[in-house]
Amino acid sequence: MLPLPAIPDRRAALLRRWLDLTRQVLPGLAAAHRWPIRLDHCFMRVCLDAALGQRWDRVVRRPAVRHLSEAQLAAAIAVAERIAAEPALLPRLNAASLAMRRKAA
């Protein structure tokens, strides 16, 4: 009998993509696009808030990487990928995220 092929862990794959986007890809684009943020946790905040439509920490327990559902993680990845493809989105999404926290953009 042939061994069954390994079934990839979808959540682990999503998490790897999420961390790559927020720790490498987006910070790597920050200087060239003169974005107001540069740190990974700031990109995570912006993407999660946009994906969830509200402050992420009102919907998901901390730390988010442990408590996001696959659907929430996929939605946040979609936002991060869209920012990477359309860099002009980041300042608006950051301002919206800060407004949710009642901070000046």
Side-chain angles (χ1 to χ4, degrees):
M1 181 186 223
L2 294 173
L4 293 173
I7 298 171
D9 181 356
R10 178 170 161 73
R11 188 169 193 334
L14 288 170
L15 188 55
R16 280 191 301 276
R17 180 64 179 147
W18 171 245
L19 294 176
D20 181 54
L21 284 163
T22 58
R23 290 182 177 170
Q24 303 295 323
V25 175
L26 296 178
L29 295 171
H33 294 287
R34 298 180 184 209
W35 285 341
I37 60 175
R38 297 208 177 352
L39 303 175
D40 62 351
H41 66 275
C42 295
F43 290 111
M44 291 176 183
R45 170 186 50 82
V46 168
C47 294
L48 288 171
D49 286 354
L52 299 174
Q54 61 183 306
R55 283 180 59 150
W56 71 265
D57 55 349
R58 296 222 170 124
V59 187
V60 177
R61 284 183 28 219
R62 293 176 185 264
V65 294
R66 287 193 191 148
H67 297 103
L68 289 165
S69 69
E70 285 185 17
Q72 291 167 327
L73 191 51
I77 289 167
V79 171
E81 288 176 336
R82 187 162 177 225
I83 292 169
E86 300 175 46
L89 288 175
L90 186 276
R92 284 192 309 247
L93 293 177
N94 183 53
S97 175
L98 292 174
M100 289 178 196
R101 289 162 171 69
R102 295 191 173 108
K103 293 183 182 177

